[in-house]
Amino acid sequence: MDTLEKTDTFVCATYARQGKAFVSGSGMYLTDEDGQVFTDFLAGIAVCSLGHCHPEVTAAIREQAGRLVHVSNLFYTRPQADLAQALVENSFADQVFFGNSGAEANEAAIKLARRYFQRNNDMNRFQIITMTQSFHGRTLATLTATGQDKIKQGFYPLLPGFIHVPFNDIDALKTALDDTVCAVMMEPVQGEGGVIPADPEYLAQVRQLCDQTGTLLIFDEIQSGMGRCGTLFAHQGYGVTPDIMTLAKALGNGVPIGAMLATAEAAKGFEPGSHGSTFGGTPLATAAGLKTLALISDPGFLARVREKGLYFKEQLTELQSRHSRIKAVRGRGLLLGMDVGEGAGDVAAACFEKRFIINAIQDKVLRFAPPLIVETKDIDRLISVLDSLL
């Protein structure tokens, strides 16, 4: 059996895979089993933000793999301590919990928010407000938090304690925010939901409402964080700070790792035994995360991300002026979306035939999340292909 047949035979059919098997990657490019080279404008869904097999991250992984891979969280390790310190020093947070994925990071945030109040004997304050069209993961709690019905189909009954309100609608949030709510959980830029940025005024009002009611504010930056929107964390571009933030995807540049960051006050909700993860924060994953964070947090690197994101958005907007089926271009930094109405999946498939990897969401929006090392010449090549297909 070839790779495709063997995968379809022995791996659960939970993904609609493209008909190629990739064997190697370097920077912006992936090579399949037939030696064909593809230009990647998806980066493993915003994961390989420094490009595939970045030499400095690869060296950090190799060095750590030859030294120590795992000892469990019953013991201390230096890479975990160093990454936690680096995340704290680059953010609003005071403490970090490590898991293996975005879903685990969001599970930790949900549990911390509820437990923060229940440790203070406020047992009725357990509801969490999230946004319609949001995406927070595929565990039972995080898919319940997700504001898309299609993600929940077939998994009923869902967990109690989640309320969904329209995104960018402050009046709806005011109505729902009562004394049973422990947290508001949201993405500063909705990725899976259609690449929809929060309005700056709305985000500031959400923070104000949370302050007035003593509610914790959780930002899910699993897709939008780690430089993707042109600042190290997306909320830094808004000037609004959460109490809790979740990260994953680009944090390890391909090595599985998730992180939940919290203020010292919010972190009081956890104590020894209240939460854990067997593999979370291993020396291997945190060594990869430490090197990735050092490279992405460089101010010069982030300035170039903003420049390239602006250039990319300008080229997409220029396409919109020539093609009437393009309804909107939106996004921040290098997380961009182009609403083409119905048939976005067909456009993404046609791009794949021309060896460009992009993504379609909701079958109406093309999502672009290239490695942050993308160059304008790569953008120009993709624009030319899109121009021919639209």
Side-chain angles (χ1 to χ4, degrees), residues 16-353:
R17 301 177 193 270
Q18 297 280 2
K20 294 288 182 183
F22 290 109
V23 296
S24 64
S26 177
M28 283 289 299
Y29 307 108
L30 287 168
T31 303
D32 72 7
E33 287 182 324
D34 299 321
Q36 294 182 318
V37 178
F38 290 69
T39 306
D40 188 0
F41 272 79
L42 189 57
I45 313 181
V47 167
C48 297
S49 287
L50 291 171
H52 296 281
C53 301
H54 189 283
E56 292 187 53
V57 178
T58 299
I61 295 169
R62 283 198 179 114
E63 194 280 335
Q64 189 59 47
R67 182 189 300 262
L68 182 69
V69 172
H70 177 81
V71 291
S72 91
N73 283 305
L74 295 176
F75 307 98
Y76 295 90
T77 65
R78 188 71 190 190
Q80 183 180 117
D82 287 344
L83 180 57
Q85 180 184 6
L87 287 168
V88 165
E89 290 178 348
N90 281 281
S91 74
F92 67 94
D94 299 298
Q95 291 192 318
V96 183
F97 172 84
F98 289 111
N100 304 291
S101 65
E104 266 198 63
N106 279 341
E107 286 271 351
I110 291 166
K111 290 178 69 174
L112 179 63
R114 288 185 172 175
R115 205 167 190 280
Y116 172 79
F117 288 98
Q118 293 182 25
R119 283 201 76 189
N120 291 319
N121 296 317
D122 196 347
M123 306 302 288
N124 292 324
R125 198 161 180 172
F126 61 89
Q127 306 257 30
I128 296 176
I129 296 177
T130 68
M131 307 299 155
T132 54
Q133 292 301 112
S134 62
F135 182 83
H136 297 295
R138 294 183 183 274
T139 65
L140 200 53
T142 57
L143 73 85
T144 305
T146 292
Q148 301 182 54
D149 290 341
K150 69 177 184 180
I151 304 296
K152 305 175 184 183
Q153 292 174 2
F155 299 110
Y156 300 101
L158 303 178
L159 298 178
F162 291 89
I163 301 168
H164 300 96
V165 299
F167 190 48
N168 277 328
D169 185 338
I170 196 65
D171 290 332
L173 182 60
K174 284 180 182 175
T175 301
L177 191 50
D178 61 23
D179 60 6
T180 68
V181 175
C182 66
V184 174
M185 182 176 185
M186 61 185 295
E187 302 154 281
V189 180
Q190 290 189 337
E192 179 67 24
V195 190
I196 305 170
D199 295 334
E201 183 180 358
Y202 169 75
L203 214 58
Q205 290 175 318
V206 172
R207 175 72 270 180
Q208 188 176 28
L209 273 178
C210 288
D211 289 340
Q212 291 170 351
T213 58
T215 307
L216 295 174
L217 178 57
I218 303 169
F219 282 164
D220 176 344
E221 295 219 15
I222 289 163
Q223 185 166 145
S224 60
M226 292 301 295
R228 175 57 56 185
C229 292
T231 48
L232 182 57
F233 306 119
H235 69 263
Q236 292 171 330
Y238 287 91
V240 176
T241 301
D243 303 292
I244 300 170
M245 176 175 69
T246 53
L247 300 172
K249 288 190 177 290
L251 180 56
N253 204 53
V255 175
I257 182 172
M260 183 210 65
L261 288 66
T263 63
E265 178 61 27
K268 290 178 181 175
F270 279 169
E271 60 185 336
S274 57
H275 195 47
S277 171
T278 296
F279 292 106
T282 65
L284 187 69
T286 48
L290 189 62
K291 177 55 68 176
T292 301
L293 177 63
L295 293 168
I296 290 180
S297 62
D298 178 84
F301 181 87
L302 291 170
R304 290 192 293 277
V305 171
R306 290 192 291 274
E307 291 170 3
K308 290 180 286 190
L310 181 60
Y311 178 81
F312 196 175
K313 195 172 186 179
E314 288 173 347
Q315 303 313 304
L316 293 173
T317 303
E318 175 63 23
L319 269 185
Q320 184 182 11
S321 70
R322 298 200 299 272
H323 298 278
S324 60
R325 70 175 294 186
I326 301 175
K327 312 301 180 188
V329 173
R330 55 183 178 250
R332 296 171 75 93
L334 284 169
L335 179 57
L336 298 172
M338 188 164 71
D339 189 336
V340 296
E342 294 181 354
D346 293 337
V347 177
C351 279
F352 194 71
E353 288 297 314

